[in-house]
Amino acid sequence: MRDIFGFGGAEPRLKGRDVAVIDVGSNSVRLVQFRVEGRVLWPVFNEKTMAGLGKGAPETGRLNPEGVEAALRTLRRFTRLLDAKGVSTRGAVATAAVRECEDGPDFVERVRQETGLVIDVLSGEEEGRYSALGVLAGVGDAWGVAGDLGGSSLELTGLEGRSAQQAITLPLGPLAVNAAGAKAEELRDRVDAHLERAAEVLSQTGDTFYAVGGAWRSFANLSMSMRNYPLRLLHEYEMSLDQVRKTAQFAMSQSESSLASVPGVSSKRAATLPYAALLLERIMKSGRFKRVVFSAYGLREGVVCVSDSSLVEEGDPLLSGTEIMALSASPEPGFGPALAEWLEPAFRGEPSVFGELQDKRLRGAAARLSDIGARLHPDHRGDLAFTQVLYAPIGGLSHAERAFLALTLHHRYEGKSSRGEDCVSTHLLDEAQRTAALRLGLGMRFGAALSGRTGKLLSSFTLTRTEDALVISLASDAGDLIVERALRRFEQFCAAMELKAAPEV
């Protein structure tokens, strides 16, 4: 894989900088400006034009003339935008349409002359691996197959842990199969024939298919509407095999105008949504996947990851993301990690709600966000912190885990008070998970009051859990640090934990 930024591998110069990626696809031309902080990619600017470069290309072998002019206008605008923003680290990639059309090289040269942009035309395998790296940057460890559906092609890439495996490209984009005008039976036969070529990739270890691309994002939005799903957020939205089948059947039975009326489904996507649904259903069957997870991260994030491999190989997307969020919100960002370590003895022996290791990871993430309300209005910190965490652009957690973190922050600021029946956390969490969020939130609330939200003072106290009590011990010089407010919150925390409060004062 090529480093289009010219940094030659994992470069610390990328960290804490703005990086722009321009993606010249068969359907759209898109610019995304990322802020790279640590191992976190924040998308801070995103703009696209549906140029339609690949429209008609399967029949003519050439780029769509109108699409070429639209793409050039868009690229000239993007260049001026980046100049004005002062973003000098930029790269442009092109995929199937430019790669396969006979006049693709002429288009690339014209772009260079008119804008100064040097477009890197990716091979099908490169496109698949770049997209897979983007998925890994957003979810962390993954086992299964990443699939990126573009306008002209489908890339399938195996995923094992933090590694992208073999990739294959297939001419199964909606433009390549003329999906809008073909019959479902013909499309099904064509899809199945091509998927047979991908049998080796589809048989990768793992039962999860990671879906990337605008057409499948529209399919996810359709599913959310059908399920009356409470959280409108695409990244790591999950569907079972049965839900995929039901949604696909519905999509293939609806008119274009009916699909275009669904929130999150544009009129341009509605025409090819039935095909995207059919394709996903056939992939799930062919690969024997049990679930599909939709990724908002893909090719463009992968382009950055090639230049900075630490974005995939190092750290944890959730813990790193929450630490970076705390940097701009908390007066003492180091308090969160210290609080996480200090509280951990209180939760030893607690029943697991997401799995033992995942529970500890979520406690670490919540503690890192414990002071996120410091700069928020004191009368609304609970609601504002809840919303900010629920929709935070961080990866590495399911929707239920996201709701758990948000509810934990609510209790961190609002104590025992519950949220309404229509709250996302009520719909996505069971009673045991909501109880765990209450306990963790009250523990964080107690730790903050005891230490004045400073990690240094936490070391003056030690928590020990016995069979029926929670004991807090003080250093010999810490007597003056105990105040009534902290003791009251300690008692509330212990009551929620169903333990006796045992302060050694």
Short mmCIF file of all heavy atoms in Angstrom, two decimals, residues 2 22-26 53 92-99 107-108 119-123 126-127 299:
data_model
loop_
_atom_site.label_atom_id
_atom_site.label_comp_id
_atom_site.label_asym_id
_atom_site.label_seq_id
_atom_site.Cartn_x
_atom_site.Cartn_y
_atom_site.Cartn_z
N ARG A 2 0.40 2.27 -0.70
CA ARG A 2 1.20 3.48 -0.88
C ARG A 2 0.82 4.57 0.10
O ARG A 2 -0.34 4.76 0.41
CB ARG A 2 1.03 3.98 -2.32
CG ARG A 2 1.66 3.08 -3.36
CD ARG A 2 1.16 3.41 -4.74
NE ARG A 2 -0.21 2.94 -4.92
CZ ARG A 2 -0.90 3.07 -6.05
NH1 ARG A 2 -0.35 3.69 -7.07
NH2 ARG A 2 -2.13 2.62 -6.16
N ILE A 22 -9.30 13.57 -0.41
CA ILE A 22 -10.29 13.74 -1.47
C ILE A 22 -10.47 12.39 -2.14
O ILE A 22 -9.52 11.76 -2.59
CB ILE A 22 -9.85 14.80 -2.49
CG1 ILE A 22 -9.75 16.17 -1.81
CG2 ILE A 22 -10.82 14.85 -3.67
CD1 ILE A 22 -9.14 17.25 -2.69
N ASP A 23 -11.70 11.95 -2.19
CA ASP A 23 -12.05 10.63 -2.73
C ASP A 23 -12.87 10.83 -4.01
O ASP A 23 -14.00 11.31 -3.97
CB ASP A 23 -12.85 9.87 -1.68
CG ASP A 23 -13.39 8.54 -2.18
OD1 ASP A 23 -12.99 8.10 -3.26
OD2 ASP A 23 -14.23 7.95 -1.46
N VAL A 24 -12.28 10.48 -5.15
CA VAL A 24 -12.96 10.61 -6.44
C VAL A 24 -13.56 9.26 -6.79
O VAL A 24 -12.88 8.36 -7.29
CB VAL A 24 -11.98 11.06 -7.55
CG1 VAL A 24 -12.71 11.26 -8.87
CG2 VAL A 24 -11.28 12.36 -7.13
N GLY A 25 -14.82 9.10 -6.48
CA GLY A 25 -15.50 7.82 -6.67
C GLY A 25 -16.35 7.79 -7.93
O GLY A 25 -16.47 8.78 -8.66
N SER A 26 -16.96 6.65 -8.17
CA SER A 26 -17.80 6.49 -9.35
C SER A 26 -19.08 7.29 -9.27
O SER A 26 -19.61 7.75 -10.28
CB SER A 26 -18.13 5.00 -9.54
OG SER A 26 -16.95 4.24 -9.67
N LEU A 53 -19.40 10.24 -12.11
CA LEU A 53 -18.34 9.98 -13.08
C LEU A 53 -18.52 8.64 -13.80
O LEU A 53 -18.22 8.51 -14.98
CB LEU A 53 -16.97 9.97 -12.38
CG LEU A 53 -16.16 11.25 -12.32
CD1 LEU A 53 -14.89 11.00 -11.52
CD2 LEU A 53 -15.82 11.73 -13.72
N ALA A 92 -5.33 12.86 -2.73
CA ALA A 92 -6.51 12.53 -3.50
C ALA A 92 -6.37 11.11 -4.05
O ALA A 92 -5.29 10.73 -4.52
CB ALA A 92 -6.71 13.51 -4.66
N VAL A 93 -7.45 10.34 -3.97
CA VAL A 93 -7.46 8.98 -4.51
C VAL A 93 -8.67 8.84 -5.43
O VAL A 93 -9.69 9.51 -5.26
CB VAL A 93 -7.52 7.92 -3.40
CG1 VAL A 93 -6.26 7.96 -2.55
CG2 VAL A 93 -8.76 8.09 -2.53
N ALA A 94 -8.53 7.97 -6.41
CA ALA A 94 -9.64 7.64 -7.31
C ALA A 94 -9.83 6.13 -7.31
O ALA A 94 -8.86 5.37 -7.12
CB ALA A 94 -9.37 8.15 -8.71
N THR A 95 -11.06 5.71 -7.56
CA THR A 95 -11.37 4.29 -7.46
C THR A 95 -11.85 3.74 -8.81
O THR A 95 -11.30 4.10 -9.85
CB THR A 95 -12.40 4.06 -6.33
OG1 THR A 95 -13.54 4.92 -6.53
CG2 THR A 95 -11.78 4.39 -4.98
N ALA A 96 -12.87 2.88 -8.80
CA ALA A 96 -13.16 2.02 -9.94
C ALA A 96 -13.38 2.74 -11.26
O ALA A 96 -12.83 2.34 -12.29
CB ALA A 96 -14.38 1.15 -9.62
N ALA A 97 -14.18 3.82 -11.27
CA ALA A 97 -14.51 4.46 -12.55
C ALA A 97 -13.25 4.98 -13.25
O ALA A 97 -13.02 4.71 -14.43
CB ALA A 97 -15.51 5.59 -12.33
N VAL A 98 -12.44 5.74 -12.52
CA VAL A 98 -11.21 6.29 -13.12
C VAL A 98 -10.23 5.16 -13.42
O VAL A 98 -9.51 5.20 -14.43
CB VAL A 98 -10.59 7.34 -12.17
CG1 VAL A 98 -9.27 7.85 -12.73
CG2 VAL A 98 -11.56 8.49 -11.94
N ARG A 99 -10.21 4.17 -12.57
CA ARG A 99 -9.29 3.04 -12.76
C ARG A 99 -9.59 2.25 -14.04
O ARG A 99 -8.69 1.81 -14.74
CB ARG A 99 -9.38 2.12 -11.53
CG ARG A 99 -8.55 0.87 -11.62
CD ARG A 99 -8.58 0.11 -10.29
NE ARG A 99 -9.86 -0.47 -9.94
CZ ARG A 99 -10.53 -0.21 -8.83
NH1 ARG A 99 -10.07 0.64 -7.95
NH2 ARG A 99 -11.68 -0.80 -8.59
N PHE A 107 -8.27 12.15 -17.54
CA PHE A 107 -8.95 12.88 -16.46
C PHE A 107 -7.96 13.23 -15.35
O PHE A 107 -7.94 14.36 -14.85
CB PHE A 107 -10.09 12.03 -15.91
CG PHE A 107 -10.72 12.59 -14.67
CD1 PHE A 107 -11.60 13.66 -14.73
CD2 PHE A 107 -10.43 12.04 -13.42
CE1 PHE A 107 -12.18 14.18 -13.57
CE2 PHE A 107 -11.00 12.56 -12.27
CZ PHE A 107 -11.88 13.62 -12.35
N VAL A 108 -7.13 12.27 -14.96
CA VAL A 108 -6.15 12.50 -13.90
C VAL A 108 -5.20 13.64 -14.29
O VAL A 108 -4.87 14.50 -13.47
CB VAL A 108 -5.37 11.20 -13.61
CG1 VAL A 108 -4.18 11.48 -12.68
CG2 VAL A 108 -6.29 10.16 -12.99
N ILE A 119 -3.74 12.81 -8.33
CA ILE A 119 -4.66 11.74 -7.92
C ILE A 119 -3.95 10.39 -7.97
O ILE A 119 -3.35 10.03 -8.99
CB ILE A 119 -5.90 11.70 -8.82
CG1 ILE A 119 -6.71 12.99 -8.66
CG2 ILE A 119 -6.77 10.50 -8.49
CD1 ILE A 119 -7.96 13.03 -9.53
N ASP A 120 -4.03 9.68 -6.89
CA ASP A 120 -3.49 8.32 -6.83
C ASP A 120 -4.63 7.36 -7.19
O ASP A 120 -5.60 7.24 -6.45
CB ASP A 120 -2.98 8.03 -5.41
CG ASP A 120 -2.20 6.74 -5.32
OD1 ASP A 120 -2.00 6.09 -6.36
OD2 ASP A 120 -1.81 6.37 -4.20
N VAL A 121 -4.51 6.70 -8.33
CA VAL A 121 -5.55 5.77 -8.77
C VAL A 121 -5.28 4.42 -8.11
O VAL A 121 -4.28 3.76 -8.39
CB VAL A 121 -5.57 5.64 -10.31
CG1 VAL A 121 -6.68 4.69 -10.74
CG2 VAL A 121 -5.75 7.01 -10.95
N LEU A 122 -6.18 4.02 -7.22
CA LEU A 122 -5.98 2.80 -6.46
C LEU A 122 -6.39 1.57 -7.26
O LEU A 122 -7.38 1.59 -8.00
CB LEU A 122 -6.81 2.84 -5.17
CG LEU A 122 -6.57 4.01 -4.21
CD1 LEU A 122 -7.49 3.88 -3.01
CD2 LEU A 122 -5.11 4.06 -3.78
N SER A 123 -5.65 0.49 -7.08
CA SER A 123 -6.09 -0.80 -7.62
C SER A 123 -7.26 -1.29 -6.78
O SER A 123 -7.52 -0.78 -5.67
CB SER A 123 -4.94 -1.81 -7.56
OG SER A 123 -4.65 -2.15 -6.21
N GLU A 126 -5.99 -2.52 -3.44
CA GLU A 126 -5.62 -1.40 -2.57
C GLU A 126 -6.86 -0.74 -1.99
O GLU A 126 -6.92 -0.40 -0.80
CB GLU A 126 -4.81 -0.37 -3.35
CG GLU A 126 -3.38 -0.78 -3.62
CD GLU A 126 -2.64 0.25 -4.44
OE1 GLU A 126 -3.24 0.83 -5.37
OE2 GLU A 126 -1.44 0.47 -4.17
N GLU A 127 -7.87 -0.54 -2.83
CA GLU A 127 -9.10 0.09 -2.36
C GLU A 127 -9.72 -0.72 -1.23
O GLU A 127 -10.16 -0.16 -0.22
CB GLU A 127 -10.08 0.21 -3.53
CG GLU A 127 -11.35 0.97 -3.19
CD GLU A 127 -12.28 1.10 -4.38
OE1 GLU A 127 -11.88 0.78 -5.51
OE2 GLU A 127 -13.44 1.54 -4.17
N LEU A 299 -12.78 4.04 3.41
CA LEU A 299 -11.66 4.33 2.52
C LEU A 299 -10.89 5.57 2.93
O LEU A 299 -9.65 5.56 3.00
CB LEU A 299 -12.16 4.48 1.09
CG LEU A 299 -11.13 4.90 0.05
CD1 LEU A 299 -10.07 3.82 -0.13
CD2 LEU A 299 -11.80 5.23 -1.29
#
